[in-house]
């Protein structure tokens, strides 16, 4: 496969994940975050199993042997992360949520340095600082004094919670032997099963409009299935370190899609988003000699 097609796959994966923010905000106006999370994985797990079989030809017995890790991954990443994100979208909006979430590669690198004792060079440390400054600009609207007086918004805190959930998810994913698409498929099955008691209490609702139904269909087909497949094909060809740089496209695509649907873009979000992207780029930089073994972006397929 030529390099240009691989890069296109990685860019498309981020485009599809960006749509998850925008359409997620739209769909949660009609159904609850619980319903959206459940329906996303209920409709996606069978196709994901098929995609995993076609692309990875997995050893299913090996995947089953890791069921405890998959269960924890499912609770953290597919249920916890998704629930927190969808709950946040209606409060803080797709643009702010995407910009704050863009710090995820940096938080994973920091957590890996703290808990897994992975080394960070000076440029990567600078990137972490720049990225966190960028998120602070977004959270405060450029006014730190307002943050001291009013505190964080609930929506912003929910996004931060989703970032932390995905950070832990990504660290644990490094322990898995199961291939990534197969792991996602198995975890999607577990997400549906573990949410059934919650659904029994809260019930599940479907979108009430054609727009909401199309939004749900988009979330199931593109972020949940196509995004994972394209990302993992691309990352397998160029390596996770180089693929991770493409994650910088996520907030950019989200802003473009949101503007197309009539959202407004405020200056703090532009400044903060630029800083976050620059900081993440620096954080993900690795020396050429390390590129083959670097795995800081591993497990970042989100979304």
């Amino acid at each position: 496969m030529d390099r240009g097609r691989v890069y296109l796959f990685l860019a498309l994966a981020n485009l599809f994940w960006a749509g998850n923010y925008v359409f997620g905000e739209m769909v949660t106006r009609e159904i609850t975050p619980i319903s959206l999370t459940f329906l996303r994985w209920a409709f996606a797990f069978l196709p994901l199993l098929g995609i995993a079989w076609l692309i990875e030809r997995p050893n299913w017995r090996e995947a089953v042997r890791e069921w405890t890790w998959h269960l924890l991954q499912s609770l953290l990443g597919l249920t916890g992360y998704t629930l927190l994100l969808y709950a946040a979208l209606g409060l803080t909006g797709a643009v702010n949520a995407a910009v704050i979430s863009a710090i995820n590669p940096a938080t994973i690198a920091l957590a890996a340095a703290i808990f897994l004792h992975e080394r960070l060079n000076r440029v990567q440390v600078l990137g972490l600082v720049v990225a966190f400054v960028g998120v602070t600009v977004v959270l405060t609207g450029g006014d730190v004094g307002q943050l001291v007086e009013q505190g964080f918004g609930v929506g912003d805190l929910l996004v931060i919670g989703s970032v932390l959930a995905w950070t832990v998810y990504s660290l644990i994913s490094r322990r898995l032997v199961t291939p990534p698409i197969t792991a996602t498929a198995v975890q999607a099955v577990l997400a549906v099963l573990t949410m059934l008691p919650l659904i029994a209490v809260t019930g599940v609702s479907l979108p009430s409009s054609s727009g909401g139904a199309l939004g749900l269909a988009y979330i199931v087909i593109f972020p949940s299935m196509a995004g994972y497949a394209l990302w993992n094909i691309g990352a397998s060809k160029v390596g996770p370190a180089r693929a991770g740089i493409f994650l910088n496209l996520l907030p950019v695509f989200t802003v473009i899609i949101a503007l197309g649907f009539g959202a407004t873009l405020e200056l703090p979000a532009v400044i903060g988003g630029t800083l976050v992207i620059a900081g993440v780029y620096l954080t993900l930089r690795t020396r050429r000699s390390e590129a083959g073994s670097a795995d800081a972006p591993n497990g970042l397929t989100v979304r």
Side-chain angles (χ1 to χ4, degrees):
M1 185 180 297
D2 63 89
R3 188 61 59 87
R5 184 178 297 181
V6 172
Y7 289 162
L8 175 62
F9 283 2
L10 293 171
L12 284 175
N14 281 276
L15 176 62
F16 295 157
W17 292 331
N20 183 43
Y21 287 83
V22 178
F23 288 103
E25 181 182 359
M26 294 170 58
V27 176
T28 51
R29 295 171 187 164
E30 300 184 17
I31 62 177
T32 66
I34 294 173
S35 291
L36 178 52
T37 301
F38 178 78
L39 292 172
R40 173 180 180 175
W41 301 119
F43 286 127
F45 79 86
L46 279 176
L48 277 171
L49 289 170
I51 294 170
W53 183 81
L54 287 171
I55 294 178
E56 296 177 338
R57 302 285 180 173
N59 181 340
W60 293 106
R61 290 183 179 179
E62 190 175 74
V64 171
R65 281 198 295 268
E66 295 188 305
W67 73 269
T68 52
W69 288 116
H70 289 305
L71 177 60
L72 182 57
Q73 292 286 83
S74 179
L75 293 172
L76 282 169
L78 276 67
T79 302
Y81 165 84
T82 308
L83 269 175
L84 289 168
L85 178 62
Y86 289 151
L89 288 173
L91 299 172
T92 191
V95 173
N96 269 16
V99 172
I100 297 170
S101 295
I103 201 174
N104 235 152
T107 60
I108 292 168
L110 178 60
I114 295 173
F115 297 107
L116 303 181
H117 307 294
E118 295 185 3
R119 293 182 179 180
L120 295 174
N121 59 39
R122 292 180 181 179
V123 174
Q124 291 171 317
V125 172
L126 174 63
L128 287 171
V129 173
V130 172
F132 282 110
V133 169
V135 168
T136 302
V137 171
V138 176
L139 291 174
T140 62
D143 185 357
V144 179
Q146 183 178 355
L147 176 64
V148 174
E149 293 178 3
Q150 301 180 5
F152 292 113
V154 174
D156 296 334
L157 290 174
L158 289 172
V159 178
I160 292 172
S162 73
V163 167
L164 295 176
W166 196 263
T167 298
V168 179
Y169 174 96
S170 300
L171 292 186
I172 295 174
S173 70
R174 303 185 186 193
R175 302 180 64 96
L176 294 177
V177 177
T178 308
I181 302 178
T182 304
T184 303
V186 171
Q187 291 162 20
V189 174
L190 292 172
V192 173
L193 294 175
T194 53
M195 286 194 71
L196 285 176
L198 181 60
I199 291 298
V201 175
T202 64
V204 64
S205 56
L206 293 171
S208 56
S209 69
S210 58
L214 288 173
L216 175 60
Y218 174 93
I219 290 171
V220 171
I221 295 170
F222 292 99
S224 306
M225 296 187 297
Y228 276 97
L230 291 173
W231 175 269
N232 284 291
I233 292 171
S236 69
K237 299 297 182 182
V238 301
R242 186 171 295 174
I245 297 173
F246 282 80
L247 292 168
N248 294 312
L249 294 173
L250 180 59
V252 177
F253 284 148
T254 304
V255 168
I256 293 172
I257 296 172
L259 290 176
F261 280 90
T264 58
L265 187 60
E266 298 179 356
L267 183 60
V270 175
I271 296 173
T274 302
L275 289 172
V276 169
I277 291 172
V280 169
Y281 175 77
L282 292 173
T283 304
L284 296 182
R285 283 188 61 187
T286 55
R287 292 188 293 272
R288 186 168 300 180
S289 61
E290 299 171 334
S293 61
D295 65 351
N298 192 29
L300 295 181
T301 50
V302 169
R303 317 275 201 199

